[in-house]
Amino acid sequence: MLSRVANSIYWMSRYLERADNVARFADVNFHLMLDLSLDRDSTQWYPLVATSGDDEVFNKRYKTADEQSVLKFLTFDEKNPNSILQCIYRARENARTVREIIPVEMWEKINELYHLTQSHSRKRSLADLYDYYMQVRQAGHLLTGLMYNTMSRSAGWQFAHIGQMLERADKTARLLDVKYFILLPRGEQIDSAFDTVQWGAVLKSVNALEMYRQQYHSINYRDVTDFLLFSQAFPRSVLHCLDSTADALKSLAPECKPESPAQTETGTLVQTLHASDAAHIIASGLHEFIDDFQYKLNLVDEAIFKSFFET
């Protein structure tokens, strides 16, 4: 497979997953504020920006992190490269260049999602956004289903899968970090009813609430951290995503050197995760652990570029 084609498929998948995650985080935050009866200017909005990793860009352009500014920045801001609008535009551009590789149904759905986003970008009412975020999430599920059920497990599928898994691991880790480090910094509220509602919202953000309850009896920061970082069965946990990435890279081994930079960096990160546990991480610093994880995840992305896309 040409490196240009592989790169486009990889980034198409990453941008689609990124848009889906932003939509689900914003949607769940709406419902969280209703559950907690918080006003619209609440400090609950800024953590959404922090979760995206674009807080520095946001702070340079917006004076306050209220509902209107945060939702504009994350959803329809043309100058924010990680807004839903820009992610879907870039996903469509990448998909357009590889239309002969991906199923026609995938291209049609991505194109449909692009035009849906364009039409909603002129609407700013909360009612419109409720519907829009739900439609983006539903499109994300449909596109994932199309990818898994209609693509041959060739190099194209492997690169799409790697892109999706790395983006998902990144966003799950960021979400966990923001909730633990920023959203509720006051120690006296840990394990309170307020805390339980917020951790429940974190689980809902990644569609994990029901699966979590099958394994744990109560919602608390220790068990949620363990589940979202280390569950090998849940498809949005960090460990599951990295294990899947390693498997996909192994499948691509015949197309690259056995000891490619991508396999080496991913293998190192996977070993680190398997050797860790939630109790030890919380005791030594969850924020510091996730900071280090984000750095190593960037190394994996750079290694994938060197192994497959660099010409």
Side-chain angles (χ1 to χ4, degrees):
M1 175 174 283
L2 294 174
S3 60
R4 172 189 60 80
V5 174
N7 186 55
S8 293
I9 293 176
Y10 172 80
W11 280 106
M12 174 198 75
S13 190
R14 287 204 71 153
Y15 283 129
L16 288 172
E17 182 69 19
R18 192 172 299 175
D20 174 77
N21 277 279
V22 174
R24 68 175 60 243
F25 294 167
D27 183 55
V28 170
N29 204 60
F30 274 131
H31 292 91
L32 176 63
M33 294 187 69
L34 291 174
D35 290 342
L36 297 177
S37 300
L38 298 173
D39 63 81
R40 290 184 178 179
D41 293 327
S42 167
T43 54
Q44 292 290 126
W45 289 108
Y46 185 75
L48 288 182
V49 180
T51 302
S52 73
D54 296 315
D55 39 330
E56 185 176 339
V57 176
F58 177 88
N59 292 332
K60 289 180 179 178
R61 297 182 48 220
Y62 294 88
K63 294 181 180 179
T64 58
D66 56 14
E67 177 188 275
Q68 183 177 6
S69 61
V70 169
L71 292 181
K72 177 184 177 182
F73 179 74
L74 293 178
T75 311
F76 298 123
D77 193 330
E78 295 182 355
K79 295 182 180 180
N80 173 15
N82 294 316
S83 68
I84 295 177
L85 178 74
Q86 283 296 308
C87 285
I88 291 174
Y89 167 75
R90 294 181 183 197
R92 180 178 181 266
E93 286 302 294
N94 280 290
R96 184 177 57 81
T97 65
V98 293
R99 288 180 63 179
E100 73 281 4
I101 303 297
I102 63 176
V104 65
E105 294 87 355
M106 279 192 71
W107 162 249
E108 290 174 349
K109 191 60 189 178
I110 292 170
N111 199 40
E112 180 184 320
L113 182 58
Y114 168 78
H115 289 293
L116 172 73
T117 300
Q118 292 296 315
S119 65
H120 274 77
S121 65
R122 295 183 288 274
K123 304 174 184 178
R124 298 297 165 85
S125 74
L126 280 179
D128 287 328
L129 288 177
Y130 288 143
D131 292 338
Y132 174 68
Y133 292 139
M134 181 58 68
Q135 287 173 299
V136 172
R137 293 178 65 175
Q138 289 174 343
H141 288 306
L142 179 57
L143 284 164
T144 296
L146 285 170
M147 185 177 83
Y148 276 75
N149 293 319
T150 64
M151 289 185 72
S152 299
R153 296 309 191 257
S154 57
W157 185 89
Q158 301 295 350
F159 283 116
H161 184 62
I162 290 168
Q164 183 184 51
M165 290 296 101
L166 289 180
E167 187 65 34
R168 187 174 291 181
D170 174 75
K171 288 299 181 285
T172 298
R174 286 184 187 276
L175 178 67
L176 186 61
D177 184 37
V178 168
K179 170 61 183 78
Y180 193 84
F181 187 70
I182 298 176
L183 200 56
L184 189 59
R186 291 171 293 179
E188 67 272 13
Q189 288 186 317
I190 292 176
D191 287 335
S192 66
F194 183 85
D195 195 39
T196 298
V197 171
Q198 290 201 328
W199 280 112
V202 169
L203 291 168
K204 288 179 182 177
S205 294
V206 290
N207 290 123
L209 183 59
E210 289 75 20
M211 297 303 103
Y212 173 89
R213 282 176 169 163
Q214 290 179 16
Q215 188 171 341
Y216 299 97
H217 298 295
S218 62
I219 298 176
N220 60 76
Y221 73 95
R222 294 170 292 271
D223 291 339
V224 173
T225 298
D226 182 65
F227 187 75
L228 292 184
L229 284 181
F230 299 115
S231 173
Q232 292 183 295
F234 184 64
R236 286 187 174 271
S237 79
V238 171
L239 182 59
H240 181 94
C241 290
L242 267 295
D243 278 340
S244 295
T245 299
D247 289 342
L249 287 170
K250 187 176 181 180
S251 296
L252 290 169
E255 299 189 18
C256 66
K257 296 179 181 180
E259 294 297 327
S260 70
Q263 287 178 287
T264 300
E265 289 293 346
T266 304
T268 299
L269 185 52
V270 167
Q271 288 177 5
T272 300
L273 288 171
H274 277 282
S276 304
D277 63 81
H280 179 264
I281 288 171
I282 291 172
S284 58
L286 178 62
H287 177 66
E288 290 74 16
F289 175 84
I290 292 179
D291 255 3
D292 183 62
F293 172 78
Q294 295 290 336
Y295 171 74
K296 291 176 179 176
L297 204 61
N298 287 335
L299 293 181
V300 170
D301 180 67
E302 292 173 6
I304 287 173
F305 175 80
K306 292 178 181 178
S307 298
F308 301 105
F309 309 146
E310 194 172 46
T311 56

